[in-house]
Amino acid sequence: MDAETFRVQGHRLVEWIADYLEHSDRYPVLAQVKPGEIAAALPTAAPAEGEPFDRILDDFEKQIVPGLTHWNHPGFFAYFAISASAPGILADFLSSALNQQAMLWRTSPSATELEAVTVGWLRDLMGLPSSFDGVIYDTASISTLHALAAARELKVPGVRAQGLSGRAEVPRVRIYCSEHAHNSVDKAVILLGHGHEAVRHIPADENFSMRPDALDAAIKQDLADGYLPIAVIATVGSTSTTSIDPVPAIADVCERHDLWLHIDGAYGGVAAIVPECRYAFEGCARAHSFVVNPHKWLFVPFDLSVLYCRRMDLLRAAFSLSADYLKTSEAATVQNLMDTGIQLGRRFRALKLWMVMRYFGAEGIRRRLAEHMRLARLFASWVDADPDFERTAPVPFSVVCFRALPRGAQESHADSAINSTSTAAADANGAEIDAFNERLMELVNASGEIFLSHTKLRGRLTLRLAIGQLRTTEAHVARAWTLLKLHAAALDGRGVPA
Amino acid sequence: MDAETFRVQGHRLVEWIADYLEHSDRYPVLAQVKPGEIAAALPTAAPAEGEPFDRILDDFEKQIVPGLTHWNHPGFFAYFAISASAPGILADFLSSALNQQAMLWRTSPSATELEAVTVGWLRDLMGLPSSFDGVIYDTASISTLHALAAARELKVPGVRAQGLSGRAEVPRVRIYCSEHAHNSVDKAVILLGHGHEAVRHIPADENFSMRPDALDAAIKQDLADGYLPIAVIATVGSTSTTSIDPVPAIADVCERHDLWLHIDGAYGGVAAIVPECRYAFEGCARAHSFVVNPHKWLFVPFDLSVLYCRRMDLLRAAFSLSADYLKTSEAATVQNLMDTGIQLGRRFRALKLWMVMRYFGAEGIRRRLAEHMRLARLFASWVDADPDFERTAPVPFSVVCFRALPRGAQESHADSAINSTSTAAADANGAEIDAFNERLMELVNASGEIFLSHTKLRGRLTLRLAIGQLRTTEAHVARAWTLLKLHAAALDGRGVPA
């Protein structure tokens, strides 16, 4: 493509994206297509001859846009709401153009060094001590995988050379996390060859926080049974409810048994930047590793996850392995990113973290996170004040768990409440409330105005309203509440949605 | 950032990138900074208040650009030369803006379905049968890791649930690859918990191709010794020399011993699109899995790797694990990308593969790959015709391995030739030739006009000229040759470089 065509097409794209970001609420937030519909409209083979870029962009609008779920929509309240901020998008555009492959320092000194600088900035803002070094990966799944690989390197002598099987001296391994931990822990443990049974899901208390007494008991039992405990994962901001595991008490248990402590702050970690949230991170400085995803709640376009680790030497011991064709003269004086992980190639991800942190500034980030938390508390207050709804979990950050109560159910509310002991009658009633909420979720999602997701708490369906989109304002949260109220009333035979 | 500012800054970036791509040869190809220089110029903390984007871009030019190694430079001949093509850059810009997170079909029907369509297009162009399903990951390291995880799932009963250690019935595992295989194999095996000793590096023949007889013997020996062989990795286009392992004979061995066969075509795979290269891929249809990286030699900006697999069911069996908060009503009728791998989150990578394949078309891709191979053969012919240089490996694709011969060394060339049996005299002479070539490489790289890398073959340093940059023309290859000739002559006391 000649420079002139690039200019014309690039300017066309800038206009399209500017318009898209300004009016992302013009699209239904959840894609309204049926499975297979997008693929069916596309040719089954690549074209023999090249096509003009104009035509490709036209087809993008016609064939691809209808199948997008709009993560940029201010009504996106599902999973964790994430944001591609404008400075992050522009930075990533540059990163794609520069096409740095930062496996070695020399293949991109700027990507290598800017990564160290920006993860240092973020670490300091979060109040983690400088004994934590940081490295950028793509996703929290990969960050947690590396943390557990480092833990294994520490706790299973000879594992790098000799592995796990066929060695009578290596017992079955155990890794501990809350029953509310993210399943990336389970996947990492399976991949590492420890087997899914190696994960012990520790019971949580009434606030969905891991019980340190239960953790300690499980470890003691496993030690007595001849297992090899290696690591504990504590979560600050769990996926279902954003619950906070009691890190200081868990750190005590880990230190007593000499276990690796990994903190999953993939979503919640950035809240440490906000002074009022700092309490939730007490004890995290005692952890061995900590993952936070700036692509979740720090306005950086997907993907960018940071792993902080106090034993980066173990990560390198587990992974560094230099081929002749990658040896360089400056190896002794520089960090080569390929030595800190499974992936040889590294995209220039630090650029978008740098531009986003500079564009918003520390105070700008604080203000936005605080506002998201204010909106969550506001929505929670509406739920709490309404007899047709109930809240199903505390709201420490920016996610509200709640459910609607159909009128019939309210009459036996004492039995059916999510916190109550289960009985047959309550179960039947619970199933009815579940079905009501599932239907309610489908209806509000079909509106195209908002997108909510769900989880299960104590076996019962609960809705989640996750605030984190940079473009979400109080009006959008209010509209979500209105839609929920209207559709719940209609479902309950008490009215029709406007 | 308001829409107007985004427009202004976006248009500024389009102009900057257009100019950069048109004149990437204005920069030294290999960054000329010292370790620590980039980091030292940056503030040690994030700014308290946000900054205007204009200032951030100014700093990008002043502080970051000097530390870039220019992978877009037409004189980039190191490692594997890769290309961020203009349509690929524009597509990735869109992908960053859309911020799709394609973990579930419903979170991006278009990303999910376009991925299936585009990997199908590429598979058909490469002549792989439709029994291969494809999935997009970030890097070949991750693709190969997944292939080996699937092999383990097949060959180690109960591994997903029970793992590897503490099970008397699971012996030590063995995985086989050539001594010239990429070290992503070693890293994957270590991560999977098999231990580095599980990798057996099979000797290669005089063309750097794996010896199937040696492979067969190694497997038989391991079986006799009680090991559990699970997989063989054959490479089509190895990293050092782009050598081709004899896949049909290796497939015979694998079928005889019932082993998983994974093909590493990370670089070379796309050559299957060119009819004259199809011979190199004979037997690949018998493999279980095949990795190819469109971000290497298919003009797609980094990162995008495709894993083709005939047993995607095993990959899903190894990795699918659904949390309550990710269960969806359409789960039975769709593929959710999160079920095919360790990473839960997936960027919309298919968009750039789609736009690149449409923009160039099958014939356009063929022509460009064929031209790169013609340039490599041309450079090889210059080396072959010159008594001051020698070629050190065959040239099946677009990489030439060669070295300079200082005049003193030529007199004992019969002894020192890289193919000869080692003797003490030849070793001393060999070390001298190595030092000469290392110095030569440093000199031409310091010119800023070209960037070469090296490898070792049979213990001796060899230079590599890798052609693959979309902007590289015959003039750039000729200039590389001129620089090498001039600097070699100067080093040898026969002249000074112009």
Side-chain angles (χ1 to χ4, degrees), chain B residues 254-323:
Chain B
C254 289
E255 285 163 14
R256 196 148 62 233
H257 296 290
D258 194 22
L259 302 186
W260 185 284
L261 175 56
H262 174 63
I263 308 290
D264 179 354
Y267 153 73
V270 293
I273 301 176
V274 181
E276 305 83 69
C277 295
R278 193 54 74 78
Y279 76 93
F281 299 88
E282 200 192 326
C284 285
R286 294 160 68 190
H288 296 75
S289 54
F290 188 113
V291 57
V292 58
N293 282 4
H295 71 225
K296 280 207 172 67
W297 199 13
L298 200 66
F299 322 132
V300 172
F302 191 78
D303 46 14
L304 198 164
S305 175
V306 182
L307 178 67
Y308 291 103
C309 186
R310 284 200 288 126
R311 294 298 307 275
M312 211 57 101
D313 59 314
L314 283 168
L315 256 183
R316 296 206 182 92
F319 287 105
S320 71
L321 190 81
S322 197

Side-chain angles (χ1 to χ4, degrees), chain A residues 315-367:
Chain A
L315 257 182
R316 296 206 182 92
F319 287 105
S320 72
L321 189 80
S322 197
D324 285 323
Y325 47 82
L326 295 171
K327 293 215 163 81
T328 63
S329 50
E330 64 270 350
T333 57
V334 298
Q335 295 296 347
N336 291 314
L337 287 174
M338 68 173 187
D339 290 335
T340 318
I342 183 72
Q343 287 128 327
L344 170 63
R346 308 293 178 105
R347 188 177 155 89
F348 192 177
R349 291 188 175 88
L351 194 62
K352 55 187 172 185
L353 182 57
W354 182 62
M355 290 198 176
V356 164
M357 291 179 80
R358 287 191 60 178
Y359 181 78
F360 292 104
E363 286 306 323
I365 292 168
R366 268 186 206 109
R367 276 195 301 273

Side-chain angles (χ1 to χ4, degrees), chain B residues 94 103 105 138 160 162 180 230 262 307 311 327 344 360 392 431 443 450 457 461 486:
Chain B
L94 258 180
M103 58 184 178
W105 176 84
D138 52 339
R160 176 179 159 130
Q162 299 164 61
H180 292 284
I230 68 171
H262 174 63
L307 178 67
R311 294 298 307 275
K327 293 215 163 82
L344 170 64
F360 291 104
T392 51
L443 285 170
I450 65 170
L457 297 177
L461 192 124
L486 284 170

Side-chain angles (χ1 to χ4, degrees), chain A residues 7 11 15 36 48 59 64 67 69 72 92 96-97 99 106 110 113 138 160 187 196 338 343 358 363, chain B residues 7 11 15 36 48 59 64 67 69 72 92 96-97 106 110 113 138 160 187 196 338 343 358 363:
Chain A
R7 284 186 165 89
H11 291 312
E15 291 297 319
D59 285 349
I64 305 300
T69 287
N72 289 309
D92 218 21
S96 299
N99 210 28
R106 65 158 44 197
S110 280
E113 298 191 13
D138 52 340
R160 175 179 160 130
K187 282 194 174 188
H196 201 188
M338 68 173 187
Q343 287 128 327
R358 287 191 60 178
E363 286 306 323
Chain B
R7 284 186 164 89
H11 291 312
E15 290 297 319
D59 285 350
I64 305 300
T69 286
N72 289 310
D92 219 21
S96 299
R106 66 158 45 197
S110 281
E113 298 191 14
D138 52 339
R160 176 179 159 130
K187 282 193 175 188
H196 201 188
M338 68 172 187
Q343 288 128 328
R358 287 191 60 177
E363 285 306 324

